Amino acid sequence: MTRRVTIHDVAAAAGVSVATVSKAVNGRYGVSPETVGRVLDAVRALGYESSLVASSMRSRRTGVIGVLVADIEPFSAEILKGVGGALSDTGYDLLAYTGAKRDGEGWERRSLSRLSGTLIDAAILVTPTIVNVAAEVPIVAIDPHTGRADLPTVESDSFTGAQQAVHHLVQLGHRRIGFIAGRPDLRSAVARASGYREALSAAGIPFAPAPVGQGHYEQDVAREAAQAMLALADPPTAVFAANDLSALSIVRVATERGLRVPDDLSVVGFDDVPEAARAQPPLTTVRQPMKLLGAEAVRIVLALLAGEELPETHLQLATRLVARGTTAPPRSRQP
């Protein structure tokens, strides 16, 4: 009886490992086109095709890119729009998935284990808490908590964006500028706090801890911080918030206290979510290109799926200030 050809025979004939054969015949990530060709040549030469049926049924590409988010909120929603637009002409579908509330910290690893190899061909992680994840599919991280990692990453220049916000307020004549910080565990939030302090220093304004509060990127938390800040004996004449939702909370608190924005208090946010332009008054903010973050992540992940070499693995996109109706000179400088 003729011995049945095994995957070990194919690996030996192609000069690769068994794991590489498995990836090559199942169209998985991590094998160069040249190696795939060599493996498939060995498969045909040895007559291994009959052994591929079961594995190909299990593992053939799905045509789906997964976007894993901690929550569906304005930032992640804009990212999803960017991903969807970039995928529109590619033949790939988009699967949005969140397991954060159920799984807690490290949700990315558990979510990937559920999806990889069966439901998605690649994954885009949005603000992941961890990046030391292992998966059988290509992964790109957008704005990871830890910053740059072994994974390809895409992020906005949060440090410069914060400088732009404070510089705008300084140019208007403000000297006592408050700050509502973001989540201290998120690298982008730390960068915005650093940019705030650096911009004060560049303007010759001493840093004072009193007009600084923690907003954690959450409206309710930012509201409490704004109430404490505006109740100070010497409150700020302007406040920079680390995200738009926090900035809009500050505007509401100021209005409830009888302050007029921007006459009595100027407010600048960060992100430029759709709600910023629709607010009354429209919010001055630092625009980060959220849709472009998603589109660039798609560009990278498609290159990885095609086995291409990446010219760069860490991409940082520029921000810019968008001046609207919540900033003006302080009262002492107004005509």
Side-chain angles (χ1 to χ4, degrees):
M1 177 180 284
T2 304
R3 185 176 68 87
R4 182 176 147 190
V5 176
T6 69
I7 192 171
H8 295 278
D9 298 322
V10 176
V16 298
S17 68
V18 168
T20 298
V21 173
S22 177
K23 289 181 178 181
V25 299
N26 291 308
R28 300 215 178 182
Y29 164 65
V31 185
S32 70
E34 293 78 11
T35 302
V36 171
R38 196 163 71 248
V39 169
L40 295 182
D41 286 344
V43 165
R44 285 188 288 269
L46 295 173
Y48 186 61
E49 288 90 345
S50 61
S51 301
L52 298 178
V53 176
S55 61
S56 64
M57 289 292 289
R58 289 193 304 269
S59 307
R60 194 172 297 279
R61 285 190 175 181
T62 64
V64 176
I65 304 295
V67 182
L68 281 60
V69 299
D71 195 11
I72 304 294
E73 37 71 41
F75 175 79
S76 61
E78 293 301 298
I79 296 288
L80 287 168
K81 291 177 187 176
V83 172
L87 289 176
S88 60
D89 296 324
T90 66
Y92 280 94
D93 292 327
L94 163 64
L95 171 68
Y97 184 89
T98 176
K101 291 183 178 179
R102 177 179 63 249
D103 293 337
E105 187 173 350
W107 62 271
E108 302 88 354
R109 185 182 292 115
R110 287 178 285 274
S111 296
L112 282 169
S113 70
R114 296 184 183 107
L115 302 177
S116 295
T118 56
L119 296 177
I120 60 174
D121 293 333
I124 296 171
L125 309 181
V126 181
T127 61
T129 59
I130 57 172
V131 290
N132 58 332
V133 292
E136 296 181 349
V137 298
I139 303 173
V140 177
I142 295 177
D143 194 19
H145 286 215
T146 57
R148 294 185 176 187
D150 292 337
L151 295 178
T153 59
V154 184
E155 62 182 358
S156 293
D157 188 351
S158 289
F159 179 81
T160 301
Q163 289 181 309
Q164 292 167 338
V166 177
H167 179 66
H168 171 67
L169 294 170
V170 168
Q171 282 190 313
L172 290 172
H174 293 278
R175 300 289 295 176
R176 186 159 173 81
I177 301 170
F179 177 54
I180 300 295
R183 288 170 43 182
D185 63 322
L186 190 57
R187 179 176 177 268
S188 62
V190 173
R192 291 170 201 179
S194 298
Y196 162 76
R197 295 188 63 158
E198 180 63 28
L200 290 182
S201 177
I205 301 173
F207 171 77
V212 174
Q214 293 295 327
H216 292 268
Y217 289 154
E218 297 178 11
Q219 288 181 300
D220 291 343
V221 180
R223 178 181 177 82
E224 293 179 8
Q227 287 173 332
M229 184 179 296
L230 296 181
L232 293 171
D234 184 17
T237 63
V239 182
F240 165 49
N243 74 334
D244 286 344
L245 295 183
S246 298
L248 294 172
S249 286
I250 297 167
V251 172
R252 283 191 287 272
V253 170
T255 301
E256 291 166 4
R257 297 180 66 87
L259 299 175
R260 292 178 298 171
V261 176
D263 295 339
D264 300 317
L265 180 72
S266 286
V267 180
V268 182
F270 198 112
D271 284 338
D272 198 21
V273 297
E275 292 83 351
R278 294 197 294 261
Q280 290 300 322
L283 181 68
T284 295
T285 188
V286 175
R287 175 179 295 165
Q288 62 167 325
M290 294 172 287
K291 291 180 182 177
L292 184 57
L293 288 171
E296 288 292 343
V298 169
R299 179 183 62 81
I300 293 172
V301 89
L302 292 180
L304 292 173
L305 282 168
E308 299 174 8
E309 291 248 356
L310 297 177
E312 53 185 348
T313 56
H314 303 295
L315 185 62
Q316 188 176 75
L317 304 183
T319 59
R320 70 179 180 90
L321 184 92
V322 180
R324 295 195 180 104
T326 57
T327 51
R331 274 191 171 277
S332 60
R333 295 283 294 274
Q334 292 180 15

